[in-house]
Amino acid sequence: MKSRRPSTLLLLCLGAALIPGSVWPQGLRAAPNQVVAPGSVKLNDPIAARGADDWIVYSDASYTPVVDLLSEQLSSARHALEAGNRTATVTALHAASAELRLQSEKVAKARGAGVPAAATGSRHMSAAALRLDVVAGAVGEGRIRTLVQLDQAISKATRADMDHRWMVVNVSDWYPASAQPQQHLAAAAAAYAKKDYQAGTSEVRMATGYLRLEAGRADGEARKELDRSINELDALAAATAASPRKDDHLMAEAFARANRSLAVEERSKSAEFWGRKEYNEAGYELRAAATSLENGAAWIGEDATADARAAIADTRALGDQLVAHAHVTAEAVSKGLGSLDQGIVDLGRKISVTGGSTRRRLIV
């Protein structure tokens, strides 16, 4: 059966329902994030979701959330440069470089703990730290005076190198951020439905800011999935900024693919943490994967949501048990991961294929 897709009105409803403090509209049974796993256990010290308090908005219109010490220092450097305080800018850039080197050392040590691509990530981070010191010198000498010049010096490639620090992010910092892409995509849908294209475009770019951080800790096929979604959302944002119009179905599919790519990455990380006997972290990855799968299905329609319900419940229940330090057998984990895998595959089949053609249609 073909899945029923969200109309403009439903996109607005989805957007409202997933924004904190909003009310789920009458006539729709439940918000997408309200699936509850049967027999869920009480969590030990659950980590609440929270978003960024501030954003770095680069000259190329990309967004980076201010969520850790490094991003705070980069934000401080930008504010200082904008205020004409070169000394403070240099100090903040050197502090950012020092912090990045510390994170690079942590990533390098993670190689021995079995973190894929840790050696490569550490090298990229070290190169980015060196670049920050060079840029600080250029600011001190007066060769960089504007934010545009600063952004040219700290290129998108350098920023991507810095995102590798997310490989060793603490679960207390990562998990609160894991729900943020969907929050911003929901806000974008609500804004687009109201024809507030500028706000919608900004929200999409905020979502990709979080996706880039997630891509920084990803490897292999999970990284490719995230990169494809980032490129697709960048194309969507650029298209709506240049020509305020949209296709609800294409937008819903792009948002669904973004959530599916997150589920793929979170599933990959859960297995990685389980293999290292870091059960608490594995549990939070599974809880996040269940939510990402749930959100992805919600963008496609009621049939997709119904089909994913069992996988969502199984995955969330397993995640809750691991977080609560309940006894979980290897067989139970294998079964739970298998259910999640099938849910991800099924959702992929329901989303329109050929992301390349979708991208072309988005930018026409």
Side-chain angles (χ1 to χ4, degrees):
M1 186 192 314
K2 187 175 181 180
S3 182
R4 285 172 285 177
R5 296 179 176 180
S7 63
T8 299
L9 177 59
L10 182 53
L11 285 171
L12 177 57
C13 292
L14 280 170
L18 295 178
I19 298 172
S22 61
V23 178
W24 185 247
Q26 295 294 326
L28 296 177
R29 294 184 180 178
N33 283 340
Q34 289 179 344
V35 174
V36 178
S40 292
V41 293
K42 185 177 180 180
L43 300 182
N44 291 334
D45 191 24
I47 302 173
R50 65 176 183 272
D53 295 326
D54 195 10
W55 290 85
I56 297 173
V57 183
Y58 291 101
S59 303
D60 62 2
S62 61
Y63 284 58
T64 292
V66 178
V67 291
D68 59 4
L69 183 56
L70 177 65
S71 52
E72 288 174 3
Q73 290 160 339
L74 290 173
S75 179
S76 295
R78 296 174 64 81
H79 287 309
L81 184 63
E82 197 170 24
N85 190 337
R86 285 195 295 169
T87 300
T89 304
V90 170
T91 299
L93 286 172
H94 281 313
S97 174
E99 173 63 19
L100 192 56
R101 282 191 171 87
L102 287 175
Q103 296 299 323
S104 175
E105 291 172 5
K106 290 182 181 179
V107 171
K109 291 177 182 177
R111 181 183 182 184
V115 176
T120 300
S122 178
R123 286 197 300 271
H124 283 291
M125 292 169 67
S126 295
L130 178 60
R131 182 61 184 165
L132 290 178
D133 284 332
V134 171
V135 172
V139 171
E141 294 168 3
R143 291 185 284 115
I144 293 177
R145 297 177 178 272
T146 68
L147 289 180
V148 171
Q149 291 173 327
L150 183 65
D151 292 347
Q152 290 172 343
I154 305 175
S155 66
K156 183 173 285 190
T158 299
R159 300 198 296 268
D161 287 344
M162 290 189 285
D163 288 342
H164 286 297
R165 72 190 188 277
W166 222 239
M167 284 184 179
V168 289
V169 64
N170 292 326
V171 67
S172 58
D173 292 322
W174 169 79
Y175 187 72
S178 66
Q180 292 309 304
Q182 172 67 2
Q183 294 293 331
H184 289 291
L185 293 177
Y192 284 141
K194 296 175 183 176
K195 301 188 184 304
D196 189 347
Y197 296 106
Q198 182 176 357
T201 296
S202 294
E203 292 290 347
V204 170
R205 286 171 172 158
M206 290 179 188
T208 58
Y210 279 105
L211 288 176
R212 286 188 174 90
L213 280 177
E214 192 68 21
R217 74 183 192 125
D219 188 34
E221 187 57 35
R223 175 62 187 257
K224 293 177 183 177
E225 292 266 1
L226 285 164
D227 285 342
R228 282 193 288 266
S229 281
I230 290 167
N231 291 336
E232 184 175 26
L233 293 178
D234 280 345
L236 171 63
T240 53
S243 176
R245 55 184 176 181
K246 63 182 174 61
D247 181 316
D248 290 344
H249 291 166
L250 289 178
M251 183 174 68
E253 289 168 4
F255 292 178
R257 268 189 290 273
N259 276 288
R260 183 181 179 276
S261 70
L262 287 168
V264 169
E265 163 58 5
E266 290 151 354
R267 185 263 184 254
S268 174
K269 285 295 181 184
S270 69
E272 182 182 314
F273 282 122
W274 170 262
R276 300 208 304 264
K277 301 186 184 334
E278 297 179 39
Y279 303 127
N280 185 66
E281 287 78 4
Y284 275 111
E285 294 285 352
L286 287 170
R287 295 185 71 209
T291 299
S292 295
L293 179 61
E294 185 178 32
N295 291 333
W299 287 114
I300 297 304
E302 296 173 5
D303 295 335
T305 296
D307 289 348
R309 190 164 287 125
I312 293 165
D314 290 345
T315 304
R316 187 166 285 144
L318 177 59
D320 285 354
Q321 289 171 341
L322 289 171
V323 170
H325 308 298
H327 176 69
V328 180
T329 65
E331 290 77 13
V333 171
S334 179
K335 181 180 177 181
L337 291 179
S339 180
L340 174 57
D341 288 342
Q342 190 59 53
I344 291 172
V345 169
D346 290 344
L347 177 59
R349 288 172 178 159
K350 288 185 176 295
I351 301 172
S352 294
V353 295
T354 65
S357 65
T358 298
R359 184 180 185 277
R360 286 193 293 274
R361 291 174 66 188
L362 282 171
I363 63 178
V364 167

